[in-house]
Amino acid sequence: MIVRDMKTAANEGRMIKDPGGNWDSTRLLLKDDNMGFSFHITTIYEGADFRMHYQNHLESVYCMSGEGEVETLADGKKYPIKPGTIYILDKHDEHILRASKEMKMACVFNPPLHGTEVHNAEGAYELDADPVKS
């Protein structure tokens, strides 16, 4: 059994901050845990407005608090996000995420992240990032 809490995970180096200042992510479950997916609690800061394109990962995102929107770039559709909303990037959807109020999100990635990833120039996570060192 694996049991972790947010504070311990952050103290173990599992909290990653976006160099661009849009988010921080506490990675509670990672590739080394051998579950086949990773699980993160991510805070999207108020006023964040940034493009992502997970070419190497599928992601599900559940909003626990806050407000914002996600826009799919292929068709320009905008979807409101509020507590209780889930969006699933099942086709490696290129998208823009905007936070009008700071959002707390529960995120699942497949394949799992190693833990140190931040977005590259295309808004994706690399598959071969260095693992977290505890």
Side-chain angles (χ1 to χ4, degrees):
M1 178 181 291
I2 299 168
V3 177
R4 289 194 179 99
D5 61 61
M6 294 284 287
K7 184 177 180 182
T8 302
N11 289 340
E12 291 175 348
R14 290 173 174 261
M15 195 232 247
I16 306 300
K17 292 187 179 261
D18 171 32
N22 291 304
W23 54 265
D24 66 58
S25 179
T26 302
R27 280 97 189 253
L28 294 168
L29 191 67
L30 293 167
K31 182 175 182 165
D32 287 352
D33 294 313
N34 297 310
M35 292 294 297
F37 61 92
S38 58
F39 180 80
H40 319 172
I41 300 298
T42 300
T43 301
I44 308 297
Y45 304 138
E46 184 171 331
D49 184 333
F50 60 105
R51 182 185 67 85
M52 291 175 279
H53 188 195
Y54 295 125
Q55 300 148 342
N56 303 312
H57 298 83
L58 299 174
E59 182 190 26
S60 297
V61 181
Y62 177 80
C63 180
M64 298 182 297
S65 66
E67 293 180 13
E69 71 178 11
V70 61
E71 177 180 353
T72 51
L73 293 181
D75 58 13
K77 288 185 181 177
K78 296 178 182 177
Y79 302 90
I81 299 172
K82 61 185 179 186
T85 302
I86 188 170
Y87 67 90
I88 298 103
L89 302 165
D90 61 334
K91 300 197 177 20
H92 303 283
D93 311 85
E94 190 171 7
H95 60 290
I96 296 173
L97 185 60
R98 298 180 181 98
S100 52
K101 292 183 184 173
E102 183 175 280
M103 297 188 290
K104 288 278 187 198
M105 314 291 256
C107 308
V108 176
F109 281 88
N110 183 12
L113 299 187
H114 292 277
T116 57
E117 294 88 343
V118 294
H119 299 116
N120 65 19
E122 288 79 39
Y125 289 139
E126 300 292 342
L127 282 177
D128 297 323
D130 294 327
V132 167
K133 300 197 178 30
S134 28

